[in-house]
Amino acid sequence: RRLRIIFEQSGKAVTDQTQKPVERKLIAQTAAEPLRLGRLPQPRASYHFLELVKTWIKKWQPSQVLPIILMVIGSAVWLFSLPQVNVEQINDLGLVSAIPPTSWIALALLAVSFSLVLTAQKVNSILIFFHMVILVFMLYGITAIVETVPRFGPSWRHAGVIDYILRNENVNPRIDAYFNWPGVFIMGGLITQIAGLDSAVYFLKWSPFFFQLLYMGPLWMIFNSLTSSRRLVWFGFWVFYLVNSVGQDYFSPYAMT
C-alpha cells in the first residue's frame, strides 16, 4: 500500500510539472496576441435602432404623449377629409369654402397639440418640427391633392422654359424674357432629369409645399437673430404659416427669392 501511495504521488507531481509549463505557455501566447475585434460578431443595425427607440421612450414625459396622440389623430382626420373636398363648390372665399368641417377639426387638434408641446416644461424641438411639417402639408399641400392641374398660369410657362432647356441644352432670351435669369429653370431641369420625368409639369402642383418647407431655413436664421427663446422662434413659425399670403410659392423665380 505504501508503494502504491508513493507511485500515485510521484505520478501526480510529474503531471503537475508537465501541465504547468503548458498552461504558462498558453497564457503567455494569449496575452501576447492582440484582441481581434473584427472577428467578433457585430450587433445588427436593428439592434441599435431598438436601443435608440427604448432610450427615446424612457425620456418621454407624460406631457409629451398627449400631443403625439392629438397630432396623429389630427393627421388621420385630415387625410380622411380630403376625398370630401369638392372643388366645384369653391366660391369667392377660395378653397376654404369647399373644405368639410372635419378639416377644421383636424387643424384644431393640431393647434392644441402644438400648444401643449410649446408650453411644456422642456421644449421638444424635434416634435415641434413634425408639427410644422404637418401644418405646411395641411395648408399648402392640399391643393396638390384636390386639384387636377396647377392653378397658376405662369407656372405652365415656366415648365415650358424648362422643357426648352432640356431639349436644346441652351437658353434663348429672344423667345422669352425668363431666359435672362435661367438659374431656377436649370435647377428645375436638373430635378426633372433626376426624378426621371418627361416634363416639369408633373411637380408643379407640389411646388408650394416644397417651397414652404425651404422657407424654414431663412425663417430660422431670422427669428434666431431676434430672440434666443426657442418658444418664440417656433411660435413665429406657426404664425408665419397661418397668415402667409397665398400665391407666392408657385413654381417661379419669384418663389426662390
Side-chain angles (χ1 to χ4, degrees):
R1 184 178 297 179
R2 289 183 178 179
L3 292 175
R4 184 178 179 182
I5 295 174
I6 293 172
F7 280 120
E8 289 179 353
Q9 292 179 353
S10 61
K12 184 177 180 181
V14 172
T15 305
D16 293 339
Q17 291 177 0
T18 56
Q19 285 182 349
K20 287 182 180 180
V22 175
E23 292 177 356
R24 292 173 182 175
K25 185 178 181 180
L26 292 175
I27 293 174
Q29 291 178 354
T30 305
E33 291 184 359
L35 183 60
R36 300 177 181 178
L37 297 177
R39 295 184 179 180
L40 295 178
Q42 298 295 331
R44 297 181 179 179
S46 58
Y47 174 80
H48 292 292
F49 177 75
L50 292 177
E51 290 295 327
L52 181 62
V53 172
K54 290 179 181 179
T55 305
W56 192 23
I57 292 176
K58 291 180 181 179
K59 292 182 179 180
W60 273 1
Q61 300 177 359
S63 59
Q64 295 179 349
V65 177
L66 181 59
I68 294 177
I69 296 175
L70 294 176
M71 180 181 66
V72 173
I73 295 176
S75 302
V77 173
W78 179 266
L79 294 175
F80 175 77
S81 64
L82 289 179
Q84 305 177 21
V85 178
N86 187 2
V87 293
E88 296 180 357
Q89 298 178 355
I90 296 178
N91 53 27
D92 295 338
L93 295 177
L95 187 59
V96 293
S97 60
I99 293 179
T102 51
S103 299
W104 297 104
I105 295 175
L107 187 59
L109 291 174
L110 185 66
V112 173
S113 176
F114 173 77
S115 301
L116 293 176
V117 178
L118 191 65
T119 57
Q121 184 176 3
K122 184 178 180 181
V123 179
N124 191 335
S125 298
I126 298 178
L127 189 56
I128 295 179
F129 175 77
F130 282 112
H131 281 77
M132 291 300 166
V133 174
I134 296 174
L135 178 66
V136 172
F137 175 75
M138 287 183 175
L139 298 180
Y140 302 94
I142 183 174
T143 56
I145 299 175
V146 301
E147 293 183 347
T148 307
V149 295
R151 52 192 171 123
F152 292 103
S155 60
W156 291 89
R157 182 168 58 180
H158 301 158
V161 175
I162 294 176
D163 291 344
Y164 179 89
I165 295 175
L166 290 177
R167 294 175 183 176
N168 300 277
E169 298 182 354
N170 59 40
V171 295
N172 190 351
R174 298 179 180 179
I175 299 178
D176 197 291
Y178 282 105
F179 286 105
N180 290 317
W181 47 88
V184 175
F185 304 112
I186 294 176
M187 182 192 69
L190 179 62
I191 296 175
T192 304
Q193 288 183 334
I194 293 176
L197 302 175
D198 298 332
S199 175
V201 176
Y202 294 102
F203 60 81
L204 292 183
K205 294 193 301 182
W206 289 100
S207 295
F209 175 71
F210 173 75
F211 283 122
Q212 292 295 337
L213 292 180
L214 286 183
Y215 295 161
M216 287 188 178
L219 288 174
W220 180 265
M221 292 187 292
I222 293 173
F223 291 152
N224 275 278
S225 64
L226 298 176
T227 179
S228 59
S229 174
R230 291 296 173 86
R231 302 180 193 271
L232 292 178
V233 170
W234 287 118
F235 182 72
F237 273 88
W238 187 268
V239 173
F240 172 83
Y241 286 121
L242 284 180
V243 302
N244 186 29
S245 178
V246 297
Q248 304 182 49
D249 48 15
Y250 65 95
F251 185 78
S252 63
Y254 174 74
M256 292 293 295
T257 58

